[in-house]
Amino acid sequence: MHTTTFFRKQEAGLQIFVKGWELYQKIIECNYMKHHEVVTALRSALAEVAKESLSIVEVGCGDAYAVGEALNGEQTIEYTGVDMSQHALDHARKNLMPRGWQLDLRVGNMFEVVPRLEAGIDVVLAGYSLHHFGSDRKEILLQRFRPLLNPNGKVIIYDLFRREKESREDYLERLLQSCRESWNEMSDEQMEQIHEHVRENDHPESLQSMKQLADHSGYDRCECVYRDEDEFYGVVEME
């Protein structure tokens, strides 16, 4: 797919969050995508690199809910958030400014913004964003994240993950069936939005294929530190 066409498609996929921000907020509030458990896993992962000052780059940051909840201590946080939606970044600023963090919020696609970032980062974070890309583009991003990291830095990814040997189609059908059965607070219109977004935009890896991408990209370690009981979501660390 031509690069310009690809990013136009990505921008179209993001409209679910621009047109219906209350939908995204409801997903978080109802914990439909295990944000509460993700925050707990993030808090533990970030504690391992904890120091007086922590530098974080988050790609596809959205409203930065999870990282904001995971870090609520006395650290000095230098936070760079990258997202294609200015609407999302406005919410991120609103969420993070009261915490006193040093903020650098950049609108743009991560493939173009990440190569322009300076090295010396403690954590590169990608939450519910990389599954919008195919394996080849995920690998490109992982390769671009690695030179940004400090010697003890890490990449943390929380996202959708297929079961081993499960096809994309089988995963999406299983996920959407679960949504139909348990996302009870959603209206019919909202469920239609979700179904359309998932089928058009979601391309999750299995944990094993993510480990292979990490290995190809030069990481020494790739470990899953959280997996939900239904095997839809997970948190992965790379170093």
Side-chain angles (χ1 to χ4, degrees), residues 114 136-148 213 216-219:
V114 168
D136 57 340
R137 291 183 178 271
K138 292 188 187 83
E139 186 169 337
I140 289 170
L141 285 169
L142 293 180
Q143 290 170 353
R144 293 180 178 178
F145 293 162
R146 192 167 174 271
L148 297 177
L213 293 178
H216 294 165
S217 302
Y219 294 86

mmCIF file of all heavy atoms in Angstrom, residues 114 136-148 213 216-219:
data_model
loop_
_atom_site.group_PDB
_atom_site.id
_atom_site.type_symbol
_atom_site.label_atom_id
_atom_site.label_comp_id
_atom_site.label_asym_id
_atom_site.label_seq_id
_atom_site.Cartn_x
_atom_site.Cartn_y
_atom_site.Cartn_z
ATOM 1 N N VAL A 114 9.084 9.746 15.292
ATOM 2 C CA VAL A 114 10.068 9.005 16.095
ATOM 3 C C VAL A 114 11.504 9.206 15.613
ATOM 4 O O VAL A 114 12.407 9.428 16.435
ATOM 5 C CB VAL A 114 9.705 7.503 16.155
ATOM 6 C CG1 VAL A 114 10.853 6.675 16.720
ATOM 7 C CG2 VAL A 114 8.458 7.305 17.005
ATOM 8 N N ASP A 136 5.310 -5.931 9.284
ATOM 9 C CA ASP A 136 6.471 -5.239 8.727
ATOM 10 C C ASP A 136 6.612 -3.838 9.289
ATOM 11 O O ASP A 136 7.720 -3.386 9.601
ATOM 12 C CB ASP A 136 6.391 -5.208 7.199
ATOM 13 C CG ASP A 136 5.120 -4.556 6.674
ATOM 14 O OD1 ASP A 136 4.122 -4.451 7.439
ATOM 15 O OD2 ASP A 136 5.107 -4.156 5.499
ATOM 16 N N ARG A 137 5.502 -3.151 9.468
ATOM 17 C CA ARG A 137 5.563 -1.789 10.009
ATOM 18 C C ARG A 137 5.827 -1.794 11.514
ATOM 19 O O ARG A 137 6.492 -0.908 12.033
ATOM 20 C CB ARG A 137 4.286 -1.028 9.669
ATOM 21 C CG ARG A 137 4.171 -0.737 8.179
ATOM 22 C CD ARG A 137 2.938 0.073 7.831
ATOM 23 N NE ARG A 137 2.911 0.354 6.405
ATOM 24 C CZ ARG A 137 3.473 1.409 5.830
ATOM 25 N NH1 ARG A 137 4.103 2.303 6.570
ATOM 26 N NH2 ARG A 137 3.400 1.587 4.528
ATOM 27 N N LYS A 138 5.310 -2.799 12.217
ATOM 28 C CA LYS A 138 5.660 -2.930 13.635
ATOM 29 C C LYS A 138 7.170 -3.085 13.790
ATOM 30 O O LYS A 138 7.779 -2.489 14.683
ATOM 31 C CB LYS A 138 4.952 -4.122 14.256
ATOM 32 C CG LYS A 138 3.433 -4.001 14.388
ATOM 33 C CD LYS A 138 2.899 -5.177 15.190
ATOM 34 C CE LYS A 138 1.378 -5.233 15.217
ATOM 35 N NZ LYS A 138 0.816 -5.891 14.023
ATOM 36 N N GLU A 139 7.760 -3.906 12.931
ATOM 37 C CA GLU A 139 9.210 -4.137 13.028
ATOM 38 C C GLU A 139 9.994 -2.856 12.754
ATOM 39 O O GLU A 139 10.996 -2.578 13.426
ATOM 40 C CB GLU A 139 9.634 -5.237 12.065
ATOM 41 C CG GLU A 139 11.091 -5.637 12.212
ATOM 42 C CD GLU A 139 11.438 -6.894 11.444
ATOM 43 O OE1 GLU A 139 10.542 -7.696 11.149
ATOM 44 O OE2 GLU A 139 12.639 -7.074 11.148
ATOM 45 N N ILE A 140 9.549 -2.080 11.789
ATOM 46 C CA ILE A 140 10.201 -0.796 11.516
ATOM 47 C C ILE A 140 10.176 0.082 12.764
ATOM 48 O O ILE A 140 11.183 0.701 13.143
ATOM 49 C CB ILE A 140 9.511 -0.075 10.340
ATOM 50 C CG1 ILE A 140 9.810 -0.796 9.030
ATOM 51 C CG2 ILE A 140 9.968 1.384 10.248
ATOM 52 C CD1 ILE A 140 8.997 -0.304 7.856
ATOM 53 N N LEU A 141 9.035 0.139 13.422
ATOM 54 C CA LEU A 141 8.924 0.967 14.624
ATOM 55 C C LEU A 141 9.826 0.450 15.742
ATOM 56 O O LEU A 141 10.515 1.231 16.409
ATOM 57 C CB LEU A 141 7.472 1.012 15.097
ATOM 58 C CG LEU A 141 6.545 1.896 14.268
ATOM 59 C CD1 LEU A 141 5.093 1.662 14.655
ATOM 60 C CD2 LEU A 141 6.900 3.378 14.440
ATOM 61 N N LEU A 142 9.838 -0.869 15.951
ATOM 62 C CA LEU A 142 10.701 -1.426 16.992
ATOM 63 C C LEU A 142 12.161 -1.101 16.715
ATOM 64 O O LEU A 142 12.929 -0.805 17.640
ATOM 65 C CB LEU A 142 10.501 -2.938 17.093
ATOM 66 C CG LEU A 142 9.135 -3.415 17.588
ATOM 67 C CD1 LEU A 142 9.092 -4.935 17.628
ATOM 68 C CD2 LEU A 142 8.805 -2.833 18.959
ATOM 69 N N GLN A 143 12.551 -1.148 15.466
ATOM 70 C CA GLN A 143 13.918 -0.799 15.104
ATOM 71 C C GLN A 143 14.206 0.671 15.391
ATOM 72 O O GLN A 143 15.332 1.018 15.780
ATOM 73 C CB GLN A 143 14.155 -1.110 13.630
ATOM 74 C CG GLN A 143 14.189 -2.591 13.299
ATOM 75 C CD GLN A 143 14.190 -2.862 11.806
ATOM 76 O OE1 GLN A 143 14.033 -1.954 10.994
ATOM 77 N NE2 GLN A 143 14.358 -4.114 11.432
ATOM 78 N N ARG A 144 13.226 1.517 15.224
ATOM 79 C CA ARG A 144 13.418 2.950 15.454
ATOM 80 C C ARG A 144 13.335 3.310 16.930
ATOM 81 O O ARG A 144 13.905 4.328 17.345
ATOM 82 C CB ARG A 144 12.390 3.749 14.640
ATOM 83 C CG ARG A 144 12.626 3.628 13.148
ATOM 84 C CD ARG A 144 11.620 4.403 12.331
ATOM 85 N NE ARG A 144 11.919 4.279 10.907
ATOM 86 C CZ ARG A 144 11.187 4.812 9.934
ATOM 87 N NH1 ARG A 144 10.101 5.522 10.231
ATOM 88 N NH2 ARG A 144 11.534 4.648 8.675
ATOM 89 N N PHE A 145 12.638 2.505 17.714
ATOM 90 C CA PHE A 145 12.578 2.761 19.157
ATOM 91 C C PHE A 145 13.930 2.499 19.821
ATOM 92 O O PHE A 145 14.350 3.244 20.719
ATOM 93 C CB PHE A 145 11.535 1.847 19.832
ATOM 94 C CG PHE A 145 10.108 2.103 19.453
ATOM 95 C CD1 PHE A 145 9.143 1.128 19.697
ATOM 96 C CD2 PHE A 145 9.721 3.289 18.859
ATOM 97 C CE1 PHE A 145 7.820 1.340 19.364
ATOM 98 C CE2 PHE A 145 8.386 3.508 18.514
ATOM 99 C CZ PHE A 145 7.444 2.522 18.772
ATOM 100 N N ARG A 146 14.582 1.432 19.417
ATOM 101 C CA ARG A 146 15.749 0.936 20.140
ATOM 102 C C ARG A 146 16.867 1.962 20.287
ATOM 103 O O ARG A 146 17.440 2.106 21.384
ATOM 104 C CB ARG A 146 16.266 -0.344 19.466
ATOM 105 C CG ARG A 146 17.287 -1.114 20.291
ATOM 106 C CD ARG A 146 17.505 -2.508 19.732
ATOM 107 N NE ARG A 146 18.581 -3.183 20.440
ATOM 108 C CZ ARG A 146 19.867 -3.128 20.102
ATOM 109 N NH1 ARG A 146 20.239 -2.403 19.043
ATOM 110 N NH2 ARG A 146 20.780 -3.755 20.798
ATOM 111 N N PRO A 147 17.243 2.712 19.234
ATOM 112 C CA PRO A 147 18.331 3.692 19.405
ATOM 113 C C PRO A 147 17.988 4.847 20.338
ATOM 114 O O PRO A 147 18.888 5.567 20.774
ATOM 115 C CB PRO A 147 18.564 4.212 17.974
ATOM 116 C CG PRO A 147 17.946 3.206 17.081
ATOM 117 C CD PRO A 147 16.799 2.639 17.837
ATOM 118 N N LEU A 148 16.714 5.017 20.652
ATOM 119 C CA LEU A 148 16.312 6.099 21.551
ATOM 120 C C LEU A 148 16.619 5.789 23.003
ATOM 121 O O LEU A 148 16.742 6.700 23.825
ATOM 122 C CB LEU A 148 14.805 6.370 21.418
ATOM 123 C CG LEU A 148 14.274 6.859 20.075
ATOM 124 C CD1 LEU A 148 12.750 6.996 20.139
ATOM 125 C CD2 LEU A 148 14.912 8.184 19.689
ATOM 126 N N LEU A 213 9.622 -10.407 16.239
ATOM 127 C CA LEU A 213 9.864 -9.049 15.750
ATOM 128 C C LEU A 213 10.898 -8.340 16.620
ATOM 129 O O LEU A 213 11.769 -7.623 16.115
ATOM 130 C CB LEU A 213 8.558 -8.248 15.730
ATOM 131 C CG LEU A 213 7.489 -8.696 14.740
ATOM 132 C CD1 LEU A 213 6.239 -7.831 14.887
ATOM 133 C CD2 LEU A 213 8.003 -8.634 13.316
ATOM 134 N N HIS A 216 14.347 -9.768 15.778
ATOM 135 C CA HIS A 216 14.820 -9.240 14.500
ATOM 136 C C HIS A 216 15.253 -7.784 14.609
ATOM 137 O O HIS A 216 16.094 -7.319 13.830
ATOM 138 C CB HIS A 216 13.725 -9.352 13.441
ATOM 139 C CG HIS A 216 13.369 -10.762 13.093
ATOM 140 N ND1 HIS A 216 12.209 -11.090 12.401
ATOM 141 C CD2 HIS A 216 14.005 -11.941 13.342
ATOM 142 C CE1 HIS A 216 12.159 -12.393 12.248
ATOM 143 N NE2 HIS A 216 13.221 -12.933 12.819
ATOM 144 N N SER A 217 14.681 -7.082 15.586
ATOM 145 C CA SER A 217 14.976 -5.651 15.754
ATOM 146 C C SER A 217 16.127 -5.392 16.712
ATOM 147 O O SER A 217 16.445 -4.237 17.004
ATOM 148 C CB SER A 217 13.710 -4.923 16.254
ATOM 149 O OG SER A 217 12.646 -5.105 15.342
ATOM 150 N N GLY A 218 16.743 -6.457 17.245
ATOM 151 C CA GLY A 218 17.950 -6.300 18.037
ATOM 152 C C GLY A 218 17.759 -6.242 19.541
ATOM 153 O O GLY A 218 18.714 -5.925 20.266
ATOM 154 N N TYR A 219 16.579 -6.595 20.029
ATOM 155 C CA TYR A 219 16.363 -6.593 21.479
ATOM 156 C C TYR A 219 16.871 -7.902 22.086
ATOM 157 O O TYR A 219 16.763 -8.969 21.478
ATOM 158 C CB TYR A 219 14.873 -6.398 21.793
ATOM 159 C CG TYR A 219 14.341 -5.053 21.397
ATOM 160 C CD1 TYR A 219 13.887 -4.819 20.098
ATOM 161 C CD2 TYR A 219 14.314 -4.000 22.304
ATOM 162 C CE1 TYR A 219 13.410 -3.580 19.714
ATOM 163 C CE2 TYR A 219 13.832 -2.752 21.923
ATOM 164 C CZ TYR A 219 13.388 -2.545 20.633
ATOM 165 O OH TYR A 219 12.924 -1.307 20.253
#
